[in-house]
Amino acid sequence: MKRTIRTTAFTVGALIATLGLPAGTAHADTDARVDLRVLVVSDGGPSTDAIAAELTAAGTPFTEIDLTQAGRQVIDAGFLADTVGGVPRAKFQAVVLPNDNPFADGSPEMAALAAYEQTYEIPQVDAYTYARPQAGLQVPTSGGYSGSIDGTQAAVTTAGRAGAFGYLDGAVPFEDNDPAVNESYAYLSQPAPGADFTPLVEATIPGTATKGSLVGEYRHDGRRELVVTFVYNQYQQQFRLLARGIVEWMTGGVHLGASRNYFAVHVDDVLAADDRWNSQLNCTPGDVDCTDPNATPDPIRMTPADVDHAVAWEQDKKFTFDFAYNAVGSVDQREENNGVDLLADRLIADRAKFRWVNHTYTHSFLGCVQDTAVVPWKCATNADGSTQWISRNEIADEIATNRVWGQFAGLPQETDELVTGEHSGMRVLPQQPVDNPNLAPALADTGIKWIGSDNSREPDQRAVGQATTVPRYPMNVFYNAGKAAEQVDEYNWIYTSRAQGGSGICEENPATTSCLAAPLDTATGYADKIVPLETRIALGHVLSNDPKPHFIHQSNLAEERIAYPVLDGVLGGYQALFADDTPVVNLRMKDIGTELKRRADWKSALNAGQVTAYRVGDKVTVSAPTGVQVTATLPTGTTQGSAAFGTAYAGAVSGWTPSTGTPLTFTVPATPQATTLAPTDTHATVTTPAPHTRVPAGVREQVPATADH
């Protein structure tokens, strides 16, 4: 069936009238004001949701219109543009649509958008659209392809690497996490005859040697569109790899907010020993819940050789561990071995190779007094029924004694950082729903400003008295395992049903835990199942502009050193994907806390409508409340006053700068060009609505997670 394509042409005079601008303003040499805000038009699909999530994480302001909602904002000339002080103003620097035209045939809203984009040179992102001539591509039936591309190795083209996707080395692998699930669907096609279309990301069309576009730039009628022809959600690696480039393309590299790829690894219990999982008892002797009378603790402790390996690994990876230490481990070792502790000697000798964090002296529980006569334990109570709490002095002594030992040993630590044993002192459900009331005063007594928390319990940063939490991701490499077989055995106990010999925990918590189809082989399960899964989860955090640290335990660097395959997978996988100018950012704990706090303050200011930002010519002006740190990503060579702005990352500069309540002004270099009103001989066209695009079942919901994440 032949489709009739209707087009609507506008002269610039008609455009000016449509947009409600005063006559005579359409001159190529007139700089318009373009507000640094993105318009996201959503149909509720996963692709527009993913772009919105990327903007949110970066702190880039956007306005979202949901086409599925009754009574929504109508997109018209007055909504898109006006004048401020006699200067034409574009209210949005970019437009994101669910496809190349999500509106009804002949829609005045699409006509208004097309006119607006042409007049102000505003780029449009088609988040997921069908390949068709109206989007600059041949239809898939003309030698192209439509279907699953799970496991496909796509690649950034030369044009893509020279432009917005230059932070990538080239490869864009598409996930195939479950052969039984169709995770990615795409339309692969070549440019339509005569179309001004440049592929930026391509993949080979199945059964051919021909490349088809997955992401490309289509220029037509004085407009530019980024045409994306594969579906994705915000968690999938392929989107995470391309998300930065999508934002940079749509904003021309000038936008509020910033995104970097962070990875930090805290190693807890250094100097101490961790008790080993017992495969016969299915518990950990020494743990409060392991009450079997035959339970005998079997400690796992690093050796000097493990320190040597850690140092060599850091040098090879250009990465630094954060060692959270418990000094009593060394004190006890020396008392029991005639003053000898070879591990502590080696760590102290190599102390400058690591960052050090106070993990308290004995790793004792600092919340309520635990009643371990019952399983699970409960908080002990006084005669009047009130909770018994570890005292303020006990908490302060744990912090101060460990700090003094570290200072005597010359450890390069920050005295305002702390991780308590088991993140204790802070609330832990179900036994202790509130913080130990003595914790905050003890933190103040000892000058603690940053305290580690468990992200699986408390993902949001919060205040604990004068201190602020730094949520940490637990890696599913267990503290009580020094060997792969031990890790797999405990993993099977947690993640298999009772019928298969497991604990049934996965059955009792279906909302957060999925049971394994069958127990893993203890000889191969770690390498075949756990390592790839944990690598994917951690790398997903790295690619999500998430600075929160991950934590493991010293036992995982001992014996079979089972943490390294996961860490190698994260850093090795990252290095294979990103260019040298986009390194992993490896921050220490207090710097992570500062980053998270700045983001929270920035987000609050954005949500309260207290931030305005716009560009006129080569000047970017930002206003924010006094004390709020302003964040932006701008082209290399941008200045703030007479000083260079930001630090280099991914081919641009970005950073934080404090607001004093008066507007901040940045001067960007000549490229990209300043936005001007369109010349009078161009016209905009409005095409027919985009055809329905297929979304695989499950792609919207797919989240890489386990019970511990």
Side-chain angles (χ1 to χ4, degrees):
M1 176 178 176
K2 183 177 180 181
R3 180 186 293 273
T4 302
I5 300 176
R6 299 180 182 178
T7 62
T8 303
F10 295 88
T11 65
V12 164
L15 288 172
I16 297 302
T18 299
L19 293 169
L21 301 178
T25 59
H27 301 289
D29 60 350
T30 300
D31 287 331
R33 164 176 163 166
V34 179
D35 285 359
L36 301 190
R37 174 173 287 271
V38 175
L39 175 61
V40 177
V41 180
S42 171
D43 62 356
S47 298
T48 47
D49 285 353
I51 294 175
E54 173 69 11
L55 297 172
T56 299
T60 303
F62 66 96
T63 296
E64 185 168 13
I65 294 177
D66 187 345
L67 297 178
T68 68
Q69 294 297 311
R72 66 169 176 84
Q73 168 70 50
V74 174
I75 301 171
D76 57 19
F79 174 72
L80 296 169
D82 59 11
T83 59
V84 176
V87 176
R89 175 175 72 151
K91 297 181 183 179
F92 307 99
Q93 65 180 134
V95 174
V96 177
L97 298 182
N99 52 56
D100 65 277
N101 180 3
F103 301 96
D105 197 17
S107 166
E109 291 187 287
M110 191 65 228
L113 280 169
Y116 172 73
E117 292 168 8
Q118 186 198 39
T119 301
Y120 290 97
E121 300 178 7
I122 301 299
Q124 173 182 308
V125 174
D126 305 334
Y128 169 48
T129 197
Y130 184 75
R132 61 177 187 150
Q134 293 89 335
L137 291 166
Q138 299 181 54
V139 294
T141 53
S142 298
Y145 171 79
S146 59
S148 172
I149 55 169
D150 292 359
T152 293
Q153 293 294 310
V156 181
T157 66
T158 300
R161 294 192 66 189
F165 299 97
Y167 58 90
L168 293 172
D169 256 350
V172 182
F174 276 64
E175 292 179 332
D176 187 12
N177 299 315
D178 186 344
V181 176
N182 184 357
E183 300 164 20
S184 300
Y185 193 94
Y187 304 99
L188 284 167
S189 183
Q190 291 192 304
D196 187 358
F197 189 100
T198 303
L200 303 177
V201 180
E202 293 180 321
T204 301
I205 296 172
T208 75
T210 304
K211 301 288 186 181
S213 179
L214 288 167
V215 182
E217 180 176 322
Y218 178 39
R219 295 166 297 275
H220 63 106
D221 306 318
R223 299 165 60 205
R224 292 189 305 127
E225 294 179 44
L226 190 72
V227 179
V228 183
T229 57
F230 70 93
V231 68
Y232 46 88
N233 66 39
Q234 62 179 295
Y235 305 103
Q236 290 177 303
Q237 180 175 283
Q238 54 265 30
F239 171 71
R240 296 262 35 100
L241 291 173
L242 298 173
R244 176 189 302 277
I246 292 172
V247 173
E248 295 307 299
W249 183 92
M250 75 166 85
T251 62
V254 177
H255 61 87
L256 296 180
S259 176
R260 299 195 177 203
N261 299 331
Y262 300 88
F263 192 47
V265 178
H266 291 189
V267 183
D268 288 4
D269 305 349
V270 171
L271 292 172
D274 291 295
D275 293 323
R276 190 186 309 275
W277 171 257
N278 187 301
S279 299
Q280 284 70 48
L281 300 175
N282 289 319
C283 65
T284 305
D287 187 272
V288 295
D289 291 338
C290 194
T291 59
D292 192 296
N294 299 314
T296 302
D298 180 11
I300 309 167
R301 191 173 189 249
M302 291 174 67
T303 67
D306 296 324
V307 178
D308 294 342
H309 186 87
V311 169
W313 183 87
E314 285 188 328
Q315 292 173 339
D316 179 61
K317 301 299 181 184
K318 298 179 176 61
F319 188 86
T320 302
F321 283 124
D322 294 86
F323 276 0
Y325 71 98
N326 306 104
V328 76
S330 178
V331 173
D332 288 349
Q333 181 75 11
R334 292 191 192 279
E335 287 181 354
E336 296 167 3
N337 293 275
N338 298 316
V340 175
D341 184 4
L342 298 179
L343 171 62
D345 292 345
R346 185 61 55 84
L347 284 169
I348 292 170
D350 286 331
R351 57 188 177 272
K353 303 293 198 310
F354 310 104
R355 295 189 291 247
W356 296 85
V357 180
N358 190 337
H359 196 28
T360 72
Y361 185 64
T362 68
H363 199 281
S364 62
F365 191 83
L366 301 181
C368 62
V369 175
Q370 292 177 297
D371 178 357
T372 59
V374 293
V375 178
W377 65 269
K378 65 179 182 178
C379 288
T381 56
N382 297 305
D384 62 1
S386 60
T387 301
Q388 293 184 25
W389 298 104
I390 300 298
S391 72
R392 175 175 178 173
N393 285 341
E394 288 177 280
I395 298 172
D397 284 348
E398 279 286 322
I399 298 168
T401 304
N402 205 54
R403 175 189 294 160
V404 169
W405 187 96
Q407 290 171 332
F408 183 78
L411 304 184
Q413 61 184 324
E414 295 288 338
T415 59
D416 56 357
E417 296 178 339
L418 175 72
V419 177
T420 57
E422 301 178 60
H423 304 101
S424 60
M426 291 175 286
R427 57 197 179 214
V428 54
L429 297 176
Q431 295 99 325
Q432 185 191 311
V434 296
D435 292 345
N436 181 343
N438 298 318
L439 177 64
L443 297 180
D445 293 342
T446 51
I448 299 300
K449 295 181 180 178
W450 306 103
I451 181 169
S453 62
D454 187 336
N455 187 79
S456 66
R457 301 176 189 169
E458 296 188 83
D460 296 323
Q461 192 177 42
R462 67 177 177 94
V464 181
Q466 72 172 23
T468 304
T469 62
V470 179
R472 308 189 306 160
Y473 284 113
M475 300 188 86
N476 230 7
V477 182
F478 302 140
Y479 82 95
N480 50 5
K483 300 176 181 178
E486 298 164 354
Q487 164 81 18
V488 176
D489 185 83
E490 184 176 3
Y491 199 90
N492 284 338
W493 176 249
I494 296 171
Y495 295 112
T496 56
S497 66
R498 289 186 180 88
Q500 293 179 318
S503 63
I505 292 173
C506 58
E507 297 170 290
E508 297 167 359
N509 301 277
T512 58
T513 311
S514 298
C515 291
L516 294 169
L520 303 178
D521 187 322
T522 55
T524 61
Y526 187 64
D528 292 349
K529 172 68 175 182
I530 299 175
V531 168
L533 176 60
E534 291 307 305
T535 297
R536 179 164 61 90
I537 292 171
L539 185 57
H541 296 153
V542 174
L543 302 184
S544 298
N545 188 25
D546 189 344
K548 294 177 184 176
H550 295 72
F551 72 94
I552 56 175
H553 294 80
Q554 63 84 31
S555 52
N556 308 140
L557 303 187
E559 298 185 345
E560 292 182 1
R561 302 168 181 164
I562 62 175
Y564 287 108
V566 176
L567 303 181
D568 288 342
V570 174
L571 293 175
Y574 184 91
Q575 186 176 17
L577 295 169
F578 286 86
D580 291 342
D581 68 355
T582 312
V584 162
V585 179
N586 176 219
L587 299 179
R588 72 169 304 128
M589 182 172 160
K590 67 186 301 179
D591 295 328
I592 294 170
T594 299
E595 174 72 16
L596 291 172
K597 193 172 187 310
R598 285 174 174 174
R599 291 187 187 192
D601 293 343
W602 176 248
K603 181 179 179 180
S604 295
L606 287 177
N607 291 342
Q610 297 173 321
V611 177
T612 59
Y614 59 89
R615 179 181 180 180
V616 177
D618 64 354
K619 295 293 189 293
V620 172
T621 303
V622 184
S623 297
T626 301
V628 170
Q629 295 273 342
V630 171
T631 179
T633 298
L634 300 168
T636 300
T638 295
T639 58
Q640 182 185 359
S642 59
F645 167 73
T647 55
Y649 194 78
V653 292
S654 55
W656 297 91
T657 188
S659 171
T660 60
T662 58
L664 301 171
T665 301
F666 306 88
T667 302
V668 300
T671 302
Q673 296 295 322
T675 299
T676 59
L677 294 178
T680 58
D681 59 349
T682 60
H683 64 278
T685 60
V686 179
T687 64
T688 53
H692 174 72
T693 47
R694 186 178 184 279
V695 178
V699 74
R700 186 190 304 267
E701 295 80 16
Q702 185 186 46
V703 180
T706 72
D708 298 296
H709 300 279

